[in-house]
């Protein structure tokens, strides 16, 4: 039986049926799914980096995007993005808290010169995402590399050094029957995935045999150690996969026992215009209870298809342009609302935007300012408004392999919706082909989608919310005395480093606490905190900090850092300048004499808080004609009116004496640069 589906008519059919009937279990499932999506409002994160690998002393530049996971549009829920740089051993090297402006953030991570070379992981998440665990955080592995010789990578010593693969590497073989179970008399696929103990796929081949060692078929892996084979299990027989591993070992894996009765969902994803879903049932289940097929996208039900299986095979064809792009979850429920079969498919129908640049010349002089125009149009050629990030690198020094990278497309539509590690997600979308579409379908069979459990949805059990989203950007902390005791009623000021940025004041509570809510227009400024005090108080500021989520150790192939270094240093072998070379060799230069000149503001206004940003600097030369310091009244405006987005503030200006802040009454104050 073949049925062509048009989503509008299906939706109306379902809505009309629910009005005429009392609530059914499937109606409860649909309502709970909608409630769950509205309740959780999940978020996804993507980071766009300027390069795929770095050298010590580099800066990792990136743009952050936080989207509503249900629609993949910018999220305005969270106001802070957390970014961690993690070493292979699980230690967190650096952490950032970046302000989000309607889902967008820009950040940078400085790679210390003494950071050991090796593989690192960058992780990004919002506090709201903590409620669902790290499986759905943004994670990307990067290599910090030094220099490469003709024989390979010259690594510095360090705790994160990548070692060669040990002998006796272990392999994990997993089998995945299509839609969950093998069923006797129904032909279906069995996907397999073979990974090393580093978590990366390896190439294998094998043979399927029955209990009498009769050969049924041969198979071999395709991309990333994954593959599939199709056969029809027969009642009374058992089956074993004989897998030949890369080291020549052969391993036997028993297939799951086939069920005598049941349902199977298969899918044909080869037609670019339509998706074909096929439902199978064994003869004993025909014309019995009503079954419901429920396709879901990002937790949102798309439509309901009901059938009593008048035939053992039902083909359903749905137009791709009526389905949302990305992963679709197809679940077949029985009349009691219990899932009986499930399959994932990927709808690779996306109305992509077109990006073009203009005003780019063939060549430029060194350090010449470059101006270009970016044109973004939709699939109809109409102009679009959006937020874009662009990285510009020297292609002779930074060789990029698009299949090895992770784009915002492959991340948001694929990787972020799958649990666990997805190897080279961009592979499926760069230079697409029918073979890659087939590989993508195999990925759908081997990778789990587990944002929720059906038992929780059917019972209406939603996750406990432990973490609330950061709905604003706040700077908070405590003022403590010499013995770490809280100081109440202390005046605390928050001052922007930018001239005219403004000042906010508050007083501490009984516990010494204070808090400043930063207006949106100020969140990208740099700030300093000041606490006014009497000399005998000797108080100081302790900021509240968010402790990064602990990280697990991870492994990557030993080849990855070597490949990155060789790609990055290709130009150096030909005598060119590589990114590893942080200096340029000059001919001999003899210095006979020099005059040392300091910039007055830098040399005299620097203090324990960092480099100076003084508006006026006075030295002893300026005070030669002063009998006492009362002459400052003619040299300095002792009170200042500051106009900013925070309002108008009139008060004493900040005066530093030998780097120490002095208040208007001559008392010292404590400063802390943020």
């Amino acid at each position: 039986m073949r049925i062509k589906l048009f989503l509008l008519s299906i939706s109306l059919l379902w809505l009309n049926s629910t009005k005429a009937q009392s609530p059914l279990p499937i109606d409860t499932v649909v309502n709970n799914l909608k409630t769950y999506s509205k309740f959780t409002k999940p978020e996804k994160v993507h980071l766009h980096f300027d390069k795929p690998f770095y050298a010590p002393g580099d800066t990792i530049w990136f743009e952050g995007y936080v989207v509503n996971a249900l629609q993949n549009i910018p999220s305005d829920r969270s106001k802070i993005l957390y970014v961690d740089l993690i070493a292979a051993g699980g230690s967190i090297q650096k952490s950032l808290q970046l302000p989000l402006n309607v889902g967008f953030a820009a950040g940078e991570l400085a790679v210390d010169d003494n950071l050991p070379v090796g593989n690192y992981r960058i992780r990004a998440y919002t506090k709201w995402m903590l409620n669902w665990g790290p499986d759905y955080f943004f994670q990307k592995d990067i290599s910090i590399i030094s220099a490469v010789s003709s024989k390979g990578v010259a690594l510095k010593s360090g705790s994160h050094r990548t070692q060669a693969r040990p002998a006796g590497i272990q392999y994990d073989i997993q089998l995945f029957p299509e839609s969950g179970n093998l069923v006797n008399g129904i032909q279906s696929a069995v996907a397999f995935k073979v990974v090393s103990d580093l978590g990366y796929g390896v190439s294998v081949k094998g043979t399927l045999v029955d209990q009498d060692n009769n050969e049924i078929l041969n198979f071999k892996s395709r991309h990333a150690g994954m593959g599939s084979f199709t056969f029809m299990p027969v009642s009374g027989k058992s089956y074993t996969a004989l897998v030949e591993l890369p080291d020549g070992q052969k391993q036997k894996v028993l297939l799951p026992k086939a069920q005598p009765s049941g349902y199977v969902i298969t899918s044909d994803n080869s037609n670019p215009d339509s998706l074909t879903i096929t439902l199978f049932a064994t003869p004993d289940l025909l014309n019995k209870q009503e079954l419901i097929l429920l396709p879901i996208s990002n937790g949102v039900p798309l439509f309901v298809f009901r059938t009593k299986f008048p035939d053992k095979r039902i083909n359903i064809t749905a137009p791709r342009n009526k389905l949302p792009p990305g992963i679709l979850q197809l679940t077949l429920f029985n009349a009691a609302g219990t899932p009986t079969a499930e399959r994932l498919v990927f709808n690779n129908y996306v109305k992509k935007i077109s990006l073009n640049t203009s005003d780019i010349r063939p060549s430029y002089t060194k350090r010449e300012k470059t101006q270009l125009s970016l044109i973004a149009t939709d699939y109809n050629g109409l102009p679009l408004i959006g937020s874009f990030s662009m990285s510009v690198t020297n292609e002779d020094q930074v060789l990029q392999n698009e299949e090895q990278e992770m784009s915002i497309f492959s991340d948001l539509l694929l990787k972020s919706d799958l649990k666990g590690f997805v190897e080279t997600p961009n592979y499926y979308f760069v230079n697409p082909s029918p073979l890659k579409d087939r590989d993508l379908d195999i990925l759908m069979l081997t990778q789990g989608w587990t944002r929720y459990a059906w038992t929780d949805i059917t019972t209406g059990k939603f996750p406990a919310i432990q973490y609330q989203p950061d709905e604003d950007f706040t700077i908070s902390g405590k003022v403590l005395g010499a013995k770490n005791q809280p100081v109440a009623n202390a005046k605390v000021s928050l001052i922007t480093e930018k001239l005219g940025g403004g000042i906010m004041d508050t007083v501490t509570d009984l516990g010494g606490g204070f808090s400043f809510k930063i207006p949106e227009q100020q969140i990208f400024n740099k700030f300093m905190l000041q606490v006014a005090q009497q000399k005998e108080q000797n108080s100081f500021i302790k900021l509240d900090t968010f402790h990064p989520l602990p990280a697990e150790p991870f492994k990557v192939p030993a080849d990855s850092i070597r490949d990155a270094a060789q790609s990055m240093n290709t130009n150096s072998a030909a005598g060119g300048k590589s990114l590893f070379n942080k200096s340029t060799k000059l001919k001999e230069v003899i210095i006979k004499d020099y005059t040392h000149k300091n910039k007055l503001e830098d040399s005299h206004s620097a203090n324990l808080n960092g480099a100076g940003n003084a508006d006026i600097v006075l030295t002893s030369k300026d005070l030669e004609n002063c009998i006492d310091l009362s002459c400052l009244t003619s040299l300095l405006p002792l009170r200042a009116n500051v106009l900013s987005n925070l309002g108008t503030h009139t008060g004493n200006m900040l005066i530093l004496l030998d780097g120490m802040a002095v208040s208007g009454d001559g008392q010292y104050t404590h400063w802390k640069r943020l």
Side-chain angles (χ1 to χ4, degrees):
M1 176 179 291
R2 180 175 295 274
I3 301 174
K4 289 188 176 180
L5 293 185
F6 296 93
L7 301 189
L8 180 61
S9 61
I10 293 172
S11 300
L12 292 175
L13 174 64
W14 169 62
L15 291 174
N16 291 336
S17 64
T18 55
K19 289 179 181 178
Q21 302 172 12
S22 59
L24 297 174
I26 191 61
D27 301 327
T28 301
V29 171
V30 170
N31 291 331
N32 286 350
L33 274 172
K34 292 179 178 179
T35 303
Y36 178 88
S37 299
K38 184 178 180 181
F39 170 73
T40 59
K41 292 183 180 178
E43 292 178 323
K44 300 178 185 178
V45 175
H46 174 73
L47 299 187
H48 174 206
F49 295 91
D50 62 323
K51 293 185 298 187
F53 28 73
Y54 300 86
D58 277 350
T59 298
I60 302 172
W61 301 95
F62 61 89
E63 180 81 8
Y65 299 88
V66 179
V67 301
N68 178 324
L70 303 181
Q71 300 169 293
N72 284 322
I73 60 175
S75 172
D76 59 357
R77 188 181 187 100
S78 294
K79 296 295 187 277
I80 299 178
L81 177 65
Y82 300 88
V83 181
D84 302 323
L85 178 65
I86 305 168
S91 61
I92 297 178
Q93 303 296 301
K94 291 189 175 185
S95 290
L96 297 176
Q97 297 180 40
L98 301 175
L100 285 165
N101 185 11
V102 198
F104 301 103
E108 61 193 80
L109 283 164
V111 181
D112 297 336
D113 289 327
N114 58 354
L115 188 70
V117 298
N119 289 290
Y120 293 80
R121 177 165 292 170
I122 293 182
R123 179 180 68 180
Y125 55 94
T126 65
K127 192 177 288 185
W128 182 244
M129 294 169 67
L130 291 175
N131 293 296
W132 294 271
D135 283 324
Y136 298 102
F137 292 178
F138 173 89
Q139 296 189 94
K140 178 178 172 61
D141 294 340
I142 62 168
S143 294
I144 306 296
I145 51 186
S146 178
V148 71
S149 67
S150 59
K151 296 183 179 180
V153 180
L155 298 176
K156 296 179 181 178
S157 61
S159 58
H160 314 306
R161 178 171 179 163
T162 303
Q163 303 292 341
R165 286 190 179 184
I169 192 168
Q170 301 297 310
Y171 299 96
D172 180 32
I173 305 174
Q174 303 174 65
L175 301 176
F176 304 89
E178 188 172 22
S179 73
N181 293 298
L182 291 171
V183 180
N184 287 329
I186 298 180
Q187 181 167 293
S188 61
V190 175
F192 61 87
K193 183 177 183 180
V194 184
V195 297
S196 70
D197 54 5
L198 295 177
Y200 285 75
V202 296
S203 297
V204 298
K205 59 182 179 180
T207 304
L208 180 68
V209 299
D210 63 14
Q211 76 280 1
D212 298 322
N213 210 35
N214 296 316
E215 184 177 306
I216 307 299
L217 54 84
N218 295 314
F219 59 85
K220 64 179 181 179
S221 61
R222 295 169 60 89
H223 174 67
M226 295 178 288
S228 68
F229 54 85
T230 301
F231 82 111
M232 180 187 296
V234 177
S235 178
K237 289 191 174 185
S238 60
Y239 301 91
T240 301
L242 307 178
V243 183
E244 184 176 335
L245 299 167
D247 57 7
Q249 295 183 62
K250 292 187 178 180
Q251 190 167 331
K252 295 181 178 181
V253 183
L254 185 66
L255 268 67
K257 184 179 179 180
Q259 303 297 311
S261 175
Y263 304 93
V264 170
I265 304 174
T266 68
S267 173
D268 181 0
N269 217 355
S270 60
N271 191 317
D273 298 319
S274 61
L275 174 67
T276 300
I277 304 164
T278 304
L279 309 180
F280 291 93
T282 51
D284 60 304
L285 298 175
L286 303 183
N287 292 305
K288 296 290 179 64
Q289 63 172 327
E290 185 178 62
L291 276 294
I292 300 98
L293 177 68
L294 183 64
I296 299 165
S297 172
N298 284 318
V300 178
L302 302 178
F303 59 84
V304 172
F305 174 76
R306 304 173 187 269
T307 179
K308 288 189 176 182
F309 274 94
D311 192 5
K312 64 179 182 180
R313 173 174 178 159
I314 299 176
N315 289 331
I316 304 169
T317 302
R320 289 185 181 276
N321 61 355
K322 300 296 184 181
L323 298 170
I327 296 175
L328 305 180
Q329 182 182 9
L330 309 176
T331 307
L332 189 66
F333 293 87
N334 62 20
T338 303
T340 62
E342 187 167 86
R343 196 196 196 282
L344 300 184
V345 297
F346 191 91
N347 182 28
N348 199 2
Y349 185 91
V350 180
K351 297 177 180 178
K352 294 183 179 179
I353 66 172
S354 176
L355 293 176
N356 293 288
T357 56
S358 63
D359 303 327
I360 298 180
R361 304 203 310 268
S363 62
Y364 295 86
T365 60
K366 189 174 182 179
R367 300 190 181 280
E368 180 183 354
K369 183 178 180 181
T370 305
Q371 292 182 322
L372 57 86
S373 298
L374 177 68
I375 302 99
T377 55
D378 64 13
Y379 59 96
N380 289 322
L382 300 176
L384 286 174
I385 297 175
S387 178
F388 305 90
S389 55
M390 176 187 298
S391 66
V392 180
T393 56
N394 187 330
E395 65 178 3
D396 293 330
Q397 297 175 357
V398 182
L399 302 181
Q400 306 240 12
N401 183 343
E402 285 192 59
E403 288 190 355
Q404 300 292 327
E405 291 307 303
M406 183 166 55
S407 67
I408 192 171
F409 181 87
S410 61
D411 188 17
L412 296 184
L413 289 185
L414 179 67
K415 182 179 179 294
S416 60
D417 279 332
L418 294 174
K419 184 177 182 180
F421 174 69
V422 178
E423 188 173 344
T424 59
N426 226 34
Y427 158 83
Y428 304 100
F429 308 106
V430 176
N431 300 320
S433 67
L435 288 178
K436 288 190 175 183
D437 290 341
R438 174 64 182 149
D439 292 337
L440 180 56
D441 194 55
I442 293 173
L443 178 69
M444 296 295 99
L445 295 174
T446 60
Q447 205 88 19
W449 194 96
T450 55
R451 282 195 181 271
Y452 51 78
W454 276 123
T455 52
D456 294 340
I457 296 299
T458 55
T459 59
K461 179 183 177 183
F462 300 145
I465 299 300
Q466 300 179 16
Y467 303 92
Q468 294 299 323
D470 294 301
E471 295 183 346
D472 50 52
F473 197 86
T474 302
I475 297 175
S476 62
K478 287 186 177 182
V479 175
L480 303 176
K483 297 181 179 180
N484 287 324
Q485 78 278 11
V487 178
N489 299 317
K491 181 182 177 182
V492 182
S493 299
L494 181 75
I495 303 176
T496 61
E497 287 193 350
K498 182 179 179 181
L499 182 63
I503 300 174
M504 288 190 287
D505 296 322
T506 189
V507 294
T508 57
D509 56 26
L510 294 178
F514 65 88
S515 178
F516 292 99
K517 181 178 177 181
I518 309 302
E520 274 194 36
Q521 63 268 28
Q522 293 282 339
I523 59 177
F524 295 103
N525 287 339
K526 293 183 178 180
F527 298 92
M528 291 189 297
L529 282 170
Q530 176 195 27
V531 56
Q533 57 187 316
Q534 299 300 318
K535 286 184 178 179
E536 61 272 12
Q537 285 181 319
N538 197 24
S539 57
F540 62 94
I541 295 170
K542 182 179 180 181
L543 285 175
D544 293 335
T545 57
F546 176 80
H547 298 286
L549 193 72
E552 296 291 333
F554 62 93
K555 297 179 180 180
V556 293
D559 299 340
S560 63
I561 187 171
R562 185 179 306 276
D563 294 342
Q566 288 174 340
S567 297
M568 197 173 183
N569 207 49
T570 299
N571 194 44
S572 181
K577 185 176 179 181
S578 132
L579 290 181
F580 301 120
N581 301 329
K582 297 300 180 182
S583 60
T584 302
K585 186 176 181 180
L586 303 175
K587 295 180 180 180
E588 181 180 6
V589 177
I590 299 175
I591 300 175
K592 296 181 178 180
D593 195 10
Y594 74 98
T595 301
H596 180 73
K597 294 183 179 180
N598 279 336
K599 184 180 176 182
L600 188 62
E601 289 79 1
D602 292 342
S603 61
H604 288 78
S605 71
N607 56 79
L608 295 177
N609 290 311
N613 291 304
D615 298 302
I616 300 175
V617 176
L618 301 177
T619 64
S620 58
K621 185 177 180 179
D622 299 299
L623 304 176
E624 285 179 349
N625 298 321
C626 289
I627 300 176
D628 55 36
L629 292 181
S630 62
C631 66
L632 290 177
T633 56
S634 62
L635 298 173
L636 295 175
L638 293 182
R639 297 183 66 82
N641 292 325
V642 181
L643 268 167
S644 72
N645 291 323
L646 298 176
T648 302
H649 177 84
T650 302
N652 293 326
M653 64 187 303
L654 170 64
I655 301 176
L656 298 175
L657 179 60
D658 291 334
M660 182 67 72
V662 182
S663 64
D665 56 3
Q667 304 299 323
Y668 288 99
T669 60
H670 178 266
W671 280 82
K672 188 174 186 69
R673 185 184 297 271
L674 304 182

